[in-house]
Amino acid sequence: MSQVFSEETHRNMLARIPHCTGREISDWLRTVEEGPALFRFEEKVSWLRHEHNLAYGHAKAIVHEYDLRRAARKLL
């Protein structure tokens, strides 16, 4: 089972991603959106890790943020 991060840890991880990867969060979210139609969280994380050579924590934070934003769009 995957490790669950607190909201604070998630925000701190997101803040570090641009420095570590050279790409903004918005770029990564667009990459997930335009990527393969994977349904499971861990499949998306694995795809980001292998296709874009991301660390597990970074990939997980990006997919989690993508899912949060997608859910928020559905509520509007």
Side-chain angles (χ1 to χ4, degrees):
M1 177 172 259
S2 62
Q3 182 179 4
V4 176
F5 296 127
S6 70
E7 183 64 26
E8 180 182 1
T9 302
H10 175 67
R11 293 290 159 213
N12 289 337
M13 181 79 71
L14 286 179
R16 288 192 306 266
I17 288 173
H19 174 73
C20 294
T21 67
R23 292 177 62 185
E24 294 298 321
I25 294 300
S26 59
D27 292 338
W28 286 115
L29 297 176
R30 190 169 34 261
T31 298
V32 174
E33 180 73 28
E34 295 171 354
L38 302 171
F39 295 104
R40 295 180 55 228
F41 182 88
E42 286 297 329
E43 289 175 324
K44 293 175 193 174
V45 171
S46 180
W47 174 76
L48 277 177
R49 291 184 68 209
H50 293 100
E51 187 71 23
H52 298 282
N53 200 30
L54 289 176
Y56 176 75
H58 291 155
K60 183 178 172 183
I62 291 166
V63 173
H64 181 63
E65 186 67 17
Y66 174 80
D67 287 346
L68 287 174
R69 292 185 186 194
R70 190 182 71 209
R73 284 193 309 253
K74 288 182 180 180
L75 292 176
L76 299 177

